[in-house]
Amino acid sequence: MVEETVISEEEAAQYDRQIRLWGLEAQKRLRASQVLLVGMKGLGAEVAKNLILAGVKGLTMLDHQQLTLEDTRAQFLIPKGPLDRNRAEASQERAQNLNPMVDVKVDTDTIESKEEEFFTQFDAVCLTCCPRDVMVKIDQICHKNNIKFFAGDVFGYHGFMFADLGEHEFVEEKTKVAKASQGAEDGPEAKKAKLDAKETTMVKKAVTFCQLKEALEVDWGSDKAKVSLKRTPADYFLLQVLMKFRTDKGRDPHPDHYGEDSELLLQIRNDVMDALGVSPDLIPEDFAGYCFSEMAPVCAVVGGVLSQEVVKALSQRDPPHNNFFFFDGLQGSGIVDCLGTK
């Protein structure tokens, strides 16, 4: 889908630092890319900001929801004003002002109403605020049509992102290995290859991603899964619990229903972990208290990683995260893990 793009002098000046960082060819690919971003809450605002500044060709912000007071706490693209506005429409002016060279569009339809053909106009699709079945369905459409697929969400102190890039090819910059000097064949210098930091070469590589459905339906009863369980982040299972809550209630845990939602989260934890065949103790008893609202710092971290992965995928530069990134704001740590691949 990506067509040949010429970078103008104005664009070369605008993106000078990025071109120096990842090269002209990578920037050309970005400048030819169309991205769909679904869900304009706090995380969506971070992703939109980063992709617009990076210099994609076009960004379509899709959201059918009206603004709420809760949205305004972590969503910096929405100016102060009345709440009877659509989230994407309220974000458009500030988003566009970030970079006039990017075509920022708004779509106020529901993502569920979109047919398969709608997604084929994009090079990458990024979902936030979506139910599990919608994420799985759209990932299958993207996988079939060779569209880069991403999903992410923030729940209180916790955040995640997932990527399905299908069969993905990229280039990686490697430092050249200097040949051992002649006459030192038997000495220690011959055994230890020298790296010359001044000389680098671009190495072509490829990686295969699995779909979200497979990543969420790991058979934890298998011997291989039991071994990997010890190093699997607890946030992977927490994500399953929060997705089930979103499916059952049609919303995320909300501070206005703190007591009721906390009890329900604990019950869902027990049910989900039992269904997966793993111990509920992998998620602490007090977890529910840290899963309410979007926290701006967590949105900034997860949004930074998520948009960075979109840029890497579109520019075909540097190794992508395969396939999950989990952030735990309580620990201040993030981890990349690969789940669901054969």
Side-chain angles (χ1 to χ4, degrees):
M1 184 187 292
V2 176
E3 59 196 35
E4 180 61 31
T5 301
V6 177
I7 299 285
S8 68
E9 287 186 16
E10 186 183 4
E11 288 172 328
Q14 171 88 354
Y15 305 122
D16 177 68
R17 188 176 67 170
Q18 293 164 200
I19 292 171
R20 291 171 188 268
L21 180 64
W22 54 55
L24 183 60
E25 288 306 311
Q27 190 66 42
K28 280 183 177 181
R29 292 191 186 97
L30 268 184
R31 288 296 295 137
S33 298
Q34 294 282 354
V35 181
L36 172 66
L37 174 60
V38 178
M40 288 308 297
K41 292 179 70 176
L43 179 61
E46 286 285 352
V47 174
K49 177 252 297 179
N50 294 335
L51 292 180
I52 291 168
L53 291 176
V56 295
K57 181 177 183 180
L59 177 72
T60 299
M61 303 185 298
L62 185 149
D63 196 325
H64 70 284
Q65 296 276 16
Q66 295 293 102
L67 266 175
T68 67
L69 186 61
E70 187 75 14
D71 295 333
T72 61
R73 289 168 184 159
Q75 221 285 28
F76 53 80
L77 290 177
I78 297 172
K80 288 184 178 180
L83 297 178
D84 58 342
R85 295 173 291 165
N86 173 274
R87 282 197 301 227
E89 287 180 336
S91 305
Q92 186 176 22
E93 184 178 356
R94 282 187 175 178
Q96 183 65 79
N97 288 342
L98 289 168
N99 188 350
M101 296 182 186
V102 176
D103 183 17
V104 179
K105 295 178 181 176
V106 162
D107 191 323
T108 58
D109 291 343
T110 62
I111 189 65
E112 291 90 344
S113 69
K114 298 298 188 182
E115 300 293 333
E116 180 173 333
E117 186 181 4
F118 169 76
F119 298 97
T120 60
Q121 65 185 296
F122 300 102
D123 301 284
V125 170
C126 181
L127 305 185
T128 70
C129 311
C130 290
R132 174 176 173 153
D133 61 329
V134 171
M135 288 193 278
V136 168
K137 177 187 174 184
I138 294 174
D139 179 30
Q140 289 171 339
I141 291 172
C142 291
H143 197 91
K144 172 185 170 186
N145 291 284
N146 297 315
I147 302 163
K148 308 302 183 187
F149 173 85
F150 299 88
D153 273 302
V154 167
F155 303 91
Y157 283 85
H158 300 274
F160 90 98
M161 67 144 285
F162 170 83
D164 172 15
L165 308 184
E167 300 287 337
H168 181 62
E169 294 182 347
F170 63 96
V171 294
E172 184 177 9
E173 190 172 7
K174 291 282 190 181
T175 304
K176 277 188 177 179
V177 178
K179 292 182 180 179
S181 58
Q182 290 185 343
E185 289 84 355
D186 300 324
E189 294 300 319
K191 297 177 182 177
K192 185 173 70 175
K194 290 182 177 179
L195 297 181
D196 183 353
K198 294 178 183 177
E199 284 199 59
T200 59
T201 183
M202 303 307 289
V203 180
K204 288 187 177 182
K205 294 187 176 182
V207 63
T208 301
F209 284 71
C210 76
Q211 295 184 49
L212 180 61
K213 189 173 190 293
E214 297 165 40
L216 294 176
E217 295 179 357
V218 175
D219 177 13
W220 294 102
S222 69
D223 292 337
K224 182 182 177 183
K226 284 178 180 176
V227 172
S228 66
L229 182 61
K230 294 177 182 177
R231 61 170 179 77
T232 300
D235 276 25
Y236 169 78
F237 299 104
L238 178 60
L239 172 62
Q240 303 263 18
V241 173
L242 290 162
M243 282 185 171
K244 182 75 165 63
F245 183 100
R246 181 181 281 176
T247 298
D248 290 353
K249 299 289 287 185
R251 61 172 176 83
D252 293 337
H254 197 281
D256 289 349
H257 311 281
Y258 183 82
E260 171 194 337
D261 287 359
S262 295
E263 287 183 24
L264 182 57
L265 279 167
L266 198 57
Q267 182 59 53
I268 291 175
R269 178 199 73 159
N270 297 335
D271 294 344
V272 165
M273 301 298 267
D274 186 55
L276 291 172
V278 295
S279 170
D281 295 337
L282 288 172
I283 301 176
E285 286 282 330
D286 64 348
F287 81 96
Y290 303 103
C291 297
F292 286 80
S293 301
E294 281 188 315
M295 296 186 66
V298 180
C299 288
V301 173
V302 178
V305 174
L306 179 47
S307 51
Q308 167 192 280
E309 290 306 303
V310 176
V311 167
K312 282 158 64 175
L314 293 174
S315 65
Q316 297 173 23
R317 179 71 193 267
D318 297 330
H321 289 340
N322 186 4
N323 48 11
F324 277 104
F325 169 77
F326 299 101
F327 181 70
D328 181 348
L330 292 168
Q331 303 295 326
S333 63
I335 186 169
V336 177
D337 203 354
C338 188
L339 291 151
T341 54
K342 298 291 187 291

